[in-house]
Amino acid sequence: MNYSEIPKDVLTRFRQGVVIPALPLALNQSRKLDERRQRALMRYYLDAGAGGVAVAVHTTQFEIRLPKIGLFEPVLEIAREEFDSFQHRTQKPVIRIAGVIGRTEQAVAEARLALKNGFHAVLLSVAAFAEDSNFAILEHCRAVAEVIPVIGFYLQPAVGGRKLDVEFWREFARIENVIAIKMAPFNRYHTLDVVRGVVESGRADQVALYTGNDDNIVVDLLSEYQIPVDSTIHAKRVVGGLLGHWAVWTHAAVNLLESVQAGKLDRDVKEALVLAHEVTDTNAAFFDVAHNFAGCIVGLHEVLRRQGLLEGIWTLDEREVLSPSQKAEIDRVYAVYPHLNDDEFVAQNRDKWLS
């Protein structure tokens, strides 16, 4: 599938910039799939105004691929059905993204399953190539891109990523079926490497930049980079976000991005930076930064549990629990930043989504 086969309205909206939550996995107390609540999460994100959802990514738990778990394709199928239902009901364009991991054989097989289930693109992790050369990783990326459009992923080292230099990103962006890059190195220098690589690739108009820098969401969205190439200055912006953070308080995130795109935050730099730090502070609580991200998945689950969308915070790995003081930190950010949550929106719609 070539990117030109993605519906034009979907690709146009994606390139303009949208909110894309990373889908959590809904489990019951027996740590089995809770299909009712899994569907409710999809309905929440789409009704909240998200321009797409990323499925089978880190937030969905990589263990869904294990043969003894066997949830990779079932979760893709549930998402496909909810995407189909939403688009039939609303006629709104949304992009369907599936996570793909592993070495080339596994990644290509997962890409084919994503294509089979109606997904438009894959978010391609190269964490399995920790010691490989740029050339080897690029060959891997080309193999996946022959199957389906690809979104690159610069993952922070703290959760399994590796450093990828500007030369890598320049050549990666030149792969014809690459449509975007999610920048999540949690590092300003490395983020700049991605932007520069994309601009220098000559495909800046075709490759959208999405923030995954949960520690700098608002600053990324407000930033314009001006990259000189051959005596010409090329402007490039981060148009949206593909974020685990946006798996909670999603309706508020949509309002935030709309405010950025409308220029509302350009009027007062101080106010914008205050908001940026508030969002980062909430992320620190949700992602358990104090304990090196150990509770990053269950922290999101805890927020969704409080909103009544999840029954509990269970994950496939019973060792994953809230870290000491994490619950108190979530209590704190709820109390001090009430304008950032979307509890009222969820309360108004929860029963409908769960029906």
Side-chain angles (χ1 to χ4, degrees):
M1 176 183 176
N2 187 272
Y3 74 87
S4 61
E5 298 174 67
I6 299 174
K8 186 176 180 180
D9 58 343
V10 172
L11 188 59
T12 297
R13 188 182 181 206
F14 173 70
R15 285 176 169 166
Q16 290 171 342
V18 293
V19 166
I20 303 176
L23 179 71
L25 183 67
L27 300 176
N28 60 26
Q29 192 168 6
S30 301
R31 299 182 193 274
K32 301 296 183 183
L33 179 66
D34 187 334
E35 183 175 335
R36 173 169 163 260
R37 292 183 182 273
Q38 193 68 67
R39 292 183 183 278
L41 288 179
M42 285 291 299
R43 294 167 185 172
Y44 162 43
Y45 300 136
L46 295 172
D47 282 354
V53 181
V55 181
V57 291
H58 173 252
T59 311
T60 326
Q61 301 175 50
F62 292 137
E63 295 90 341
I64 61 175
R65 295 162 170 83
L66 297 175
K68 66 179 182 180
I69 303 296
L71 287 179
F72 181 69
E73 191 162 16
V75 170
L76 293 183
E77 291 171 349
I78 289 171
R80 182 198 67 214
E81 291 169 2
E82 293 303 325
F83 279 129
D84 287 348
S85 175
F86 176 80
Q87 292 200 261
H88 177 75
R89 174 168 55 86
T90 68
Q91 303 301 308
K92 292 181 180 179
V94 291
I95 193 161
R96 310 176 184 204
I97 300 169
V100 165
I101 66 170
R103 303 291 290 193
T104 304
E105 183 178 1
Q106 176 184 348
V108 167
E110 291 186 3
R112 288 174 176 154
L113 278 175
L115 185 62
K116 170 189 166 187
N117 282 281
F119 283 76
H120 299 127
V122 294
L123 179 67
L124 180 58
S125 169
V126 297
F129 291 79
E131 303 298 330
D132 292 81
S133 66
N134 280 0
F135 177 83
I137 303 172
L138 288 165
E139 286 298 293
H140 166 75
C141 295
R142 291 185 183 103
V144 176
E146 288 179 3
V147 177
I148 192 170
V150 165
I151 298 170
F153 187 10
Y154 199 165
L155 176 65
Q156 62 157 320
V159 291
R162 55 161 286 171
K163 184 178 178 181
L164 295 163
D165 58 27
V166 66
E167 286 78 15
F168 171 83
W169 292 113
R170 186 187 303 118
E171 294 307 311
F172 176 81
R174 286 174 174 158
I175 299 172
E176 182 184 356
N177 225 16
V178 166
I179 62 170
I181 297 169
K182 169 181 172 171
M183 305 182 296
F186 285 43
N187 181 298
R188 294 290 90 194
Y189 303 114
H190 297 165
T191 297
L192 184 57
D193 283 343
V194 180
V195 182
R196 184 182 146 204
V198 169
V199 172
E200 292 178 356
S201 74
R203 293 192 70 241
D205 291 343
Q206 287 79 43
V207 179
L209 294 179
Y210 271 71
T211 182
N213 287 318
D214 300 80
D215 63 337
N216 242 314
I217 295 169
V218 178
V219 171
D220 271 357
L221 295 175
L222 288 171
S223 297
E224 177 175 288
Y225 295 86
Q226 296 190 0
I227 309 295
V229 181
D230 296 331
S231 302
T232 300
I233 301 297
H234 298 261
K236 186 68 175 171
R237 293 190 67 100
V238 179
V239 297
L242 197 169
L243 294 155
H245 180 92
W246 281 351
V248 299
W249 298 359
T250 311
H251 190 248
V254 170
N255 291 337
L256 167 64
L257 182 58
E258 288 177 350
S259 293
V260 170
Q261 292 174 335
K264 293 180 180 178
L265 298 186
D266 297 344
R267 302 166 186 167
D268 188 329
V269 174
K270 181 179 178 180
E271 181 182 351
L273 289 175
V274 167
L275 175 62
H277 298 322
E278 291 175 348
V279 172
T280 298
D281 194 18
T282 62
N283 181 262
F286 300 159
F287 272 33
D288 193 27
V289 174
H291 300 92
N292 203 30
F293 305 97
C296 62
I297 291 178
V298 290
L300 299 174
H301 287 195
E302 171 63 14
V303 177
L304 295 169
R305 183 199 64 78
R306 294 179 186 209
Q307 293 182 315
L309 289 165
L310 290 183
E311 185 182 0
I313 66 169
W314 308 293
T315 67
L316 293 169
D317 184 347
E318 62 184 21
R319 295 171 296 179
E320 289 193 40
V321 295
L322 291 170
S323 294
S325 77
Q326 190 178 4
K327 182 178 180 297
E329 277 297 284
I330 295 173
D331 289 340
R332 179 183 67 82
V333 297
Y334 247 109
V336 297
Y337 308 126
H339 53 289
L340 295 182
N341 76 59
D342 66 353
D343 286 15
E344 183 177 349
F345 172 76
V346 173
Q348 291 170 349
N349 293 279
R350 183 180 56 238
D351 290 347
K352 175 184 68 175
W353 297 329
L354 286 166
S355 64

